[in-house]
């Protein structure tokens, strides 16, 4: 007796799902019969064994695509109705289409890394050029976040991505993270405005040291001796670079150090605010909260100067069009490179991301020296290389330890 069937659409190139009950005959190639509209039994071709497969793990890509249902009865469709079938009345097993990202994952991941580096380098170059004629880091920090927030709102409006809902509990978790992000962002920009970009990034290489110190002495987590030893070259390298840096001043140095502490604070609370929300939406909410945190100090500390001569001087030097264009693009590049960093972390293992982050800092330091023609002493160059090498060693050891922990939990 013929088996009853059910058809349901999938929307991914597979137009129907055929489910067959086990036939009375035991042989897998038993003939399949159905009733035509007139009620006379009509036996079709012998179904191939692969079509009478009752396992639920049956891959969707092997499900017959050319099946029609009329009057509750199953029958092969004609070639006109299913142009993909090789011949009229035959059952055709189609292959599911594989997207470019699934077919070439390494290439897509490499593109993410390239765009992360590229956007970060461009941001640092435009940012420093703005400070050369408009030295107001608090206001520029607000612009960075404001442009990013507008970008997020427009993206949500068009559904790319769809806005994830947020409740009061999640908001309470994200506020400390956003505050740390805001303070770290502003103080980084104060340092960028005061000293060479390469020197600021060298100081910011100390961030792993502050992270380890906070984990050990604040969170009570035991840090292995190997991690502490790997941080020694970072401290030594930064010290050498600082003592011989030609653009050194205390404002730039202290601001970069405060930035390290703030981002450490952000990292601590980020672990407490782990959520199932995707990284794009999380970063959007953090940017919105951070914007409101940055506006008051910008108005209090730079507002009067901006109104008196800040805007006028900048427009007189470069013109209204370039001034507004620079502010817009520096905000866009800031938001996009941070977003790409978060998206890249989702695609790779922590070890790969840690190494990539170190290489990104090398790229930024190198390109800033080339573009701005910063003169650095031999000692500064050696200190910077030692510090970056220490960060690379620390990142490698820490990521390997995290991977071993995950493997133990999985076992």
């Amino acid at each position: 007796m013929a088996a009853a069937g059910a058809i349901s659409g999938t929307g991914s190139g597979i137009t129907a799902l055929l489910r067959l009950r086990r036939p009375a005959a035991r042989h897998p190639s038993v003939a399949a019969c159905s009733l035509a509209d007139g009620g006379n039994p009509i036996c079709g071709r012998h179904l191939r064994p692969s079509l009478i497969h009752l396992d639920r793990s049956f891959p969707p890509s092997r499900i017959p695509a050319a099946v029609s249902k009329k009057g509750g009865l199953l029958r092969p469709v004609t070639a006109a109705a299913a142009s993909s079938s090789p011949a009229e009345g035959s059952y055709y097993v189609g292959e599911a289409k594989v997207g470019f990202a699934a077919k070439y994952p390494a290439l897509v991941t490499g593109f993410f890394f390239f765009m992360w580096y590229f956007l970060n380098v461009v941001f640092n170059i435009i940012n420093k050029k703005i400070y050369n004629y408009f030295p107001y880091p608090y206001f520029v920090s607000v612009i960075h976040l404001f442009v990013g927030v507008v970008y997020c709102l427009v993206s949500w409006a068009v559904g790319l991505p769809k806005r994830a809902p947020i409740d009061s509990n999640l908001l309470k978790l994200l506020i400390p993270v956003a505050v740390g992000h805001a303070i770290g962002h502003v103080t980084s920009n104060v340092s960028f405005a005061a000293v060479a970009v390469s020197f600021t990034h060298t100081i910011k290489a100390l961030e792993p040291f502050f992270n380890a110190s906070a984990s050990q002495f604040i969170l009570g987590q035991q840090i292995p001796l190997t991690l502490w030893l790997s941080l020694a070259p970072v401290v030594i390298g930064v010290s050498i670079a600082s003592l011989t840096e030609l653009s050194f001043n205390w404002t730039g140095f202290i601001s970069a150090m405060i930035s390290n502490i703030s981002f450490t604070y952000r990292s601590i609370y980020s672990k407490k605010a782990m959520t199932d929300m995707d990284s794009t939406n999380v970063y959007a909410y953090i940017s919105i909260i951070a914007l409101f945190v940055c506006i008051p100090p910008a108005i209090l500390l730079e507002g009067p100067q901006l109104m008196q001569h800040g805007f006028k001087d900048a427009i007189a030097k470069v013109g209204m069009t370039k001034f507004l264009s620079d502010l817009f693009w520096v905000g866009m590049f800031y938001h996009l490179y941070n977003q790409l960093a978060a998206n890249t972390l989702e695609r790779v293992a922590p070890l790969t991301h840690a190494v990539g982050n170190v290489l990104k800092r090398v790229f930024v330091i190198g390109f800033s020296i080339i573009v701005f023609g910063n003169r650095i002493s031999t000692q500064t160059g050696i200190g910077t290389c030692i510090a970056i090498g220490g960060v690379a060693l620390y990142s490698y050891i820490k990521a390997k330890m995290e991977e071993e922990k995950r493997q133990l939990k999985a076992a």
Side-chain angles (χ1 to χ4, degrees):
M1 180 180 291
I7 299 178
S8 62
T10 63
S12 60
I14 301 173
T15 58
L17 174 61
L18 175 63
R19 296 175 181 172
L20 298 176
R21 296 176 182 170
R22 187 180 301 276
R26 294 183 179 180
H27 196 277
S29 60
V30 64
C33 300
S34 64
L35 292 177
D37 295 337
N40 297 322
I42 299 177
C43 294
R45 303 179 183 181
H46 287 195
L47 294 179
R48 288 177 291 179
S50 61
L51 295 182
I52 312 179
H53 200 297
L54 301 177
D55 191 350
R56 291 184 178 273
S57 64
F58 189 56
S61 61
R62 306 297 299 171
I63 295 174
V67 180
S68 69
K69 184 177 181 182
K70 182 177 180 181
L73 303 176
L74 294 173
R75 63 179 64 186
V77 299
T78 62
S83 58
S84 58
S85 60
E88 183 177 356
S90 65
Y91 290 95
Y92 174 66
V93 179
E95 296 291 341
K97 294 182 179 179
V98 179
F100 181 85
K103 193 173 183 180
Y104 303 101
L107 189 61
V108 175
T109 301
F111 175 76
F112 269 74
F113 271 102
F114 170 77
M115 291 303 298
W116 177 21
Y117 289 9
F118 172 76
L119 294 172
N120 194 296
V121 169
V122 174
F123 160 75
N124 279 275
I125 291 173
I126 297 178
N127 204 44
K128 185 60 178 179
K129 287 184 175 180
I130 290 175
Y131 289 136
N132 287 339
Y133 68 84
F134 187 70
Y136 297 94
Y138 289 89
F139 176 79
V140 174
S141 298
V142 170
I143 294 298
H144 292 165
L145 294 169
F146 176 76
V147 174
V149 167
V150 172
Y151 175 86
C152 293
L153 295 177
V154 172
S155 299
W156 280 340
V158 298
L160 296 172
K162 184 179 180 181
R163 187 182 71 85
I166 185 171
D167 55 23
S168 58
N169 293 327
L170 181 56
L171 184 61
K172 291 178 182 178
L173 292 174
L174 290 182
I175 285 177
V177 179
V179 170
H181 179 72
I183 297 174
H185 176 54
V186 171
T187 50
S188 293
N189 278 283
V190 172
S191 181
F192 285 138
V195 297
V197 173
S198 57
F199 181 60
T200 298
H201 278 281
T202 302
I203 301 300
K204 286 172 69 65
L206 278 173
E207 190 175 327
F209 175 80
F210 285 94
N211 281 331
S213 300
S215 298
Q216 177 87 48
F217 302 112
I218 297 178
L219 299 180
Q221 299 175 356
Q222 190 65 32
I223 302 298
L225 180 61
T226 52
L227 273 182
W228 284 115
L229 292 176
S230 69
L231 288 170
V234 182
V235 178
I236 294 172
V238 171
S239 300
I240 295 173
S242 301
L243 290 173
T244 56
E245 171 60 35
L246 299 177
S247 67
F248 178 88
N249 66 56
W250 284 107
T251 299
F253 179 82
I254 294 175
S255 296
M257 295 295 283
I258 295 175
S259 172
N260 286 333
I261 297 173
S262 300
F263 285 134
T264 298
Y265 171 86
R266 181 188 66 178
S267 298
I268 292 174
Y269 278 92
S270 292
K271 295 176 182 179
K272 297 180 180 180
M274 295 299 290
T275 174
D276 293 333
M277 189 184 297
D278 63 281
S279 62
T280 302
N281 275 289
V282 169
Y283 184 66
Y285 284 120
I286 290 176
S287 297
I288 293 172
I289 300 171
L291 175 61
F292 286 102
V293 175
C294 291
I295 289 176
I299 295 175
L300 294 174
L301 297 176
E302 295 179 343
Q305 300 177 35
L306 287 171
M307 299 305 296
Q308 290 177 7
H309 55 80
F311 293 124
K312 293 179 181 179
D313 291 348
I315 295 172
K317 291 177 181 178
V318 298
M320 175 69 79
T321 301
K322 179 171 176 53
F323 179 52
L324 295 178
S325 175
D326 284 350
L327 292 179
F328 170 77
W329 284 114
V330 77
M332 281 297 297
F333 283 119
Y334 170 77
H335 180 83
L336 291 176
Y337 102 73
N338 277 284
Q339 187 59 67
L340 260 294
N343 295 148
T344 304
L345 179 59
E346 287 185 330
R347 296 186 60 86
V348 299
L351 175 58
T352 305
H353 193 269
V355 174
N357 199 35
V358 174
L359 293 177
K360 179 213 71 176
R361 201 172 295 281
V362 173
F363 268 81
V364 172
I365 291 174
F367 274 98
S368 66
I369 292 173
I370 294 173
V371 172
F372 296 107
N374 296 332
R375 293 175 54 219
I376 60 172
S377 64
T378 303
Q379 291 88 340
T380 298
I382 293 174
T384 300
C385 292
I386 293 174
I388 295 299
V391 173
L393 180 61
Y394 168 84
S395 301
Y396 177 81
I397 295 175
K398 189 175 189 320
K400 288 289 288 183
M401 292 172 59
E402 293 293 334
E403 185 65 27
E404 290 175 359
K405 288 181 181 178
R406 279 194 299 273
Q407 290 178 357
L408 288 175
K409 288 181 179 180

